[in-house]
Amino acid sequence: MKIKIEKLFYWSILFQILATQGVLSFIIFNYLGNWEIKRMLHPISFLFVISIFLIKAIKKVSISLLDILFFGYFLILFIIMLFNIHGLESIYLVFREVYFLFILIFIYSQIKINQDYWDKILNFIFYLLILNSIFIVITNYLGPEKYMKMITGRYIWGIDPDYKFKISNFYKFWRSPALIGSAASVGYFSVLSYLLMDQSDKFKNKKYIALFPLVFSFVRSAYLVFIIYEFLKFFTKKKNLKILGLIFKVGVPILIIFGIMLSKYDILSLESLYHRLYLWDNKTEVAYNTFFGGAIGNIGGGVRGEGFIATIDSYWLFSLFSSGLLGIALIMLFIYEKSIKTNKSLFIIIAFFIAGFFITLTQSITFLVLFPLLFVRKGNNLKRRLNPSNSKQENEI
């Protein structure tokens, strides 16, 4: 039986999503005798998507002038990168941080997937959210030592040097890696899952399951994405504008007082932000050109183990060093052009553009996998022909 391209894309997306579940993959492959296979899931799933798209591209692919300018410019940067760094692993990490996101956005924006398949994808995400929520509860019930020994057989506070799973604390709660690997990844998996489900009327109630792991991830940049998105969604409705005025008159003073109270418990402390501003000012001595960047490979994944310069903690600062103001302008135009052009889609883009000031988004596999899914076009189910010879045919892209 001939396998249709649409079904291949469906399975490739499921494979990509499964690759975000680092702890779950570890448990499975560790039981089978080789946990290191879990490291290969994400690059293999990425290559799977690329391969399927190349098959589709033989028949039809849409390329705009902006696509040519964007990928042409970043191809030049890639060539520059090869002179800046050495070693296949470093090249792969830089390529993943800089290029994976845009390649997937380009591919997914060309796809129109059957609504039934899309609903199955969202249901898969829904069940993963439930499982991760359960493991967050287990973490806080058992404590970090028993939890980490349960999933890995050993306990190392902070980041495990081999498995790369991270556990930490926030006030009286444990920031669980759940089934993903770190609290930050849990936070972004949750908020992106919520945003994906919010685009579908069928999941208007199921989406709220994402709020539990989001809240208990204690990731403030993920909170920021959620708050900005819901704020824009609520106050762009004319009937709610009066409420906005009331909030500024009454709510802001109350929020300030409430914030001062919470700051005593370090819940809304700005100390980490001040520390980050200090590091940006004092620990990012990078040779770059303001308009063209040129430091690609000398920051981020290409210099793992070099302290703050390996993380930067700001996607836009990372992009400035890597590709300059020209690259940033092309990134914004590219993402906007590929977007679905609905209000919700625009609000999501704005939310992540702002959050990108405080975290290097593309260093998260969860972000690299789920954010591009916001660009997939969904199609209504086509009625199958009554002709018996065609009754078993599936919809093609």
Side-chain angles (χ1 to χ4, degrees), residues 4-262:
K4 303 301 179 180
I5 293 178
E6 184 178 20
K7 181 170 282 189
L8 287 173
F9 268 122
Y10 164 70
W11 284 108
S12 72
I13 290 173
L14 290 184
F15 191 9
Q16 279 263 293
I17 294 169
L18 184 61
T20 65
Q21 309 297 300
V23 172
L24 177 60
S25 303
F26 170 86
I27 293 171
I28 293 171
F29 290 113
N30 191 49
Y31 176 77
L32 295 175
N34 190 351
W35 68 268
E36 292 189 341
I37 295 176
K38 72 108 178 170
R39 294 177 174 174
M40 301 301 297
L41 290 185
H42 181 240
I44 290 173
S45 67
F46 177 78
L47 291 175
F48 190 21
V49 174
I50 296 289
S51 300
I52 296 167
F53 179 71
L54 290 176
I55 295 172
K56 176 187 181 297
I58 294 174
K59 293 183 178 180
K60 183 180 179 181
V61 62
S62 176
I63 300 177
S64 67
L65 176 60
L66 180 59
D67 294 333
I68 296 172
L69 291 174
F70 181 86
F71 287 109
Y73 181 67
F74 277 86
L75 176 61
I76 294 172
L77 293 179
F78 178 75
I79 295 171
I80 293 173
M81 176 195 73
L82 296 178
F83 290 96
N84 287 343
I85 60 176
H86 303 282
L88 290 177
E89 184 179 3
S90 294
I91 291 173
Y92 166 72
L93 290 172
V94 175
F95 189 81
R96 187 179 74 184
E97 290 174 5
V98 178
Y99 299 94
F100 268 31
L101 177 69
F102 306 110
I103 292 172
L104 287 176
I105 288 176
F106 175 76
I107 290 174
Y108 288 156
S109 67
Q110 309 265 342
I111 297 173
K112 189 174 184 181
I113 194 167
N114 184 293
Q115 188 65 50
D116 280 347
Y117 284 144
W118 185 249
D119 290 342
K120 289 178 182 178
I121 290 169
L122 293 184
N123 266 319
F124 183 61
I125 291 173
F126 172 75
Y127 291 122
L128 287 176
L129 287 168
I130 293 175
L131 285 173
N132 277 280
S133 298
I134 291 171
F135 275 77
I136 288 172
V137 173
I138 292 173
T139 305
N140 283 278
Y141 176 75
L142 294 178
E145 184 173 353
K146 289 183 178 179
Y147 181 76
M148 295 307 291
K149 284 184 176 180
M150 181 185 76
I151 63 174
T152 67
R154 68 187 192 187
Y155 172 64
I156 298 175
W157 176 252
I159 302 177
D160 189 297
D162 298 317
Y163 307 146
K164 306 303 180 184
F165 302 144
K166 181 178 180 181
I167 193 164
S168 58
N169 67 298
F170 182 84
Y171 191 41
K172 294 184 178 181
F173 297 94
W174 302 114
R175 301 179 73 199
S176 174
L179 289 176
I180 300 176
S182 71
S185 295
V186 171
Y188 275 92
F189 183 84
S190 303
V191 74
L192 281 162
S193 297
Y194 177 90
L195 296 173
L196 286 166
M197 291 180 179
D198 195 46
Q199 316 305 303
S200 172
D201 291 335
K202 291 183 180 180
F203 289 82
K204 63 181 180 181
N205 294 322
K206 285 185 175 182
K207 68 183 180 183
Y208 293 111
I209 189 64
L211 297 184
F212 180 84
L214 172 61
V215 169
F216 286 95
S217 69
F218 303 107
V219 179
R220 283 173 286 189
S221 58
Y223 291 171
L224 182 64
V225 170
F226 175 79
I227 291 169
I228 293 172
Y229 174 74
E230 289 296 330
F231 179 90
L232 292 173
K233 210 170 67 167
F234 186 80
F235 289 112
T236 49
K237 297 177 181 178
K238 290 183 179 180
K239 64 180 182 180
N240 296 326
L241 290 177
K242 291 182 179 179
I243 300 175
L244 183 60
L246 183 63
I247 288 176
F248 280 113
K249 290 179 181 179
V250 180
V252 170
I254 295 174
L255 288 174
I256 292 173
I257 295 171
F258 187 63
I260 293 172
M261 292 173 62
L262 289 178

